[in-house]
Amino acid sequence: MSDLQWIEGGGITSPRGFRAGAVYAGIRTYGEEPRFDVGMLVSDLPCAVAGIFTTNAVCGAPVALDRPRVATGRGRAIVANSGNANVATGAQGDRDAARMAEIAAETLGVPAEEVLVASTGVIGRVLPMDKLEPAIRSIAPTAEGGMQFTRAIMTTDTVPKHHAVQVTVGAHTYTVGGVAKGSGMVHPNMATVFCFL
């Protein structure tokens, strides 16, 4: 096995077959320009998935939606927003998380049950679906859209967090890309940190 080779400017869409994009829906009102607050990441092919979720007793509707979906081991896309965590929003929050996945699935042409949802931001406010639905529908993921997605999940972060590496094993070279958000939010077990690989 060779040493890891860092990819200059690499990120979540550095691996072949992954696309991403984001738009600004007006949910997150803070942060530097260019400002994005709704993003999507999609694989051109079905993926094997795994996940780690917070062990906090209070978790958001997206976590409740995603746990059983990740347990199937299959996934295709992530739709994420910042500015609103969809936590402590009751049955409406559950419906909104499911609706976000449905809208993303329709837009991307993938099964809704293979779309994961991630929301971060203010707790206790219902998602502004009147802003989210048209925003999600307007995203056109591209292989160059990784940085937009990275910025769309930021909250209190002062810099975007993204990297990609390549490693060669035998005759095969593998590329791994990743993105994360969170600043001092890692306890317990990821808490409100997002990390997508």
Side-chain angles (χ1 to χ4, degrees):
M1 184 171 84
S2 73
D3 293 333
L4 291 179
Q5 301 294 317
W6 293 95
I7 298 172
E8 182 77 28
I12 197 69
T13 56
S14 292
R16 186 172 55 197
F18 287 87
R19 296 175 287 123
V23 295
Y24 181 61
I27 301 167
R28 184 178 61 153
T29 57
Y30 51 89
E32 296 180 5
E33 300 288 345
R35 189 179 293 153
F36 299 101
D37 56 11
V38 184
M40 288 196 296
L41 172 66
V42 61
S43 171
D44 292 340
L45 299 172
C47 292
V49 300
I52 297 172
F53 298 94
T54 182
T55 56
N56 196 325
V58 177
C59 60
V63 173
L65 180 81
D66 291 347
R67 278 181 174 143
R69 291 186 179 190
V70 167
T72 70
R74 294 180 43 143
R76 192 71 182 270
I78 298 167
V79 58
N81 74 274
S82 59
N84 184 313
N86 195 8
V87 173
T89 50
Q92 184 62 51
D94 294 336
R95 287 190 294 271
D96 290 343
R99 184 64 184 142
M100 282 180 67
E102 290 169 1
I103 298 163
E106 292 167 7
T107 303
L108 298 170
V110 302
E113 61 273 15
E114 294 184 9
V115 178
L116 304 174
V117 177
S119 296
T120 184
V122 177
I123 292 172
R125 289 189 193 158
V126 174
L127 285 171
M129 294 303 291
D130 60 324
K131 294 180 179 179
L132 266 172
E133 180 158 353
I136 293 169
R137 292 191 187 283
S138 71
I139 298 171
T142 68
E144 295 76 37
M147 181 53 78
Q148 291 180 353
F149 182 83
T150 302
R151 296 193 71 86
I153 65 173
M154 291 171 63
T155 50
T156 58
D157 308 73
T158 57
V159 296
K161 300 172 177 74
H162 61 99
H163 282 294
V165 296
Q166 284 188 331
V167 61
T168 300
V169 180
H172 301 284
T173 298
Y174 302 93
T175 303
V176 178
V179 60
K181 84 95 199 171
S183 178
M185 306 170 175
V186 73
H187 183 77
N189 291 6
M190 297 294 282
T192 61
V193 168
F194 288 168
C195 181
F196 305 122
L197 297 173

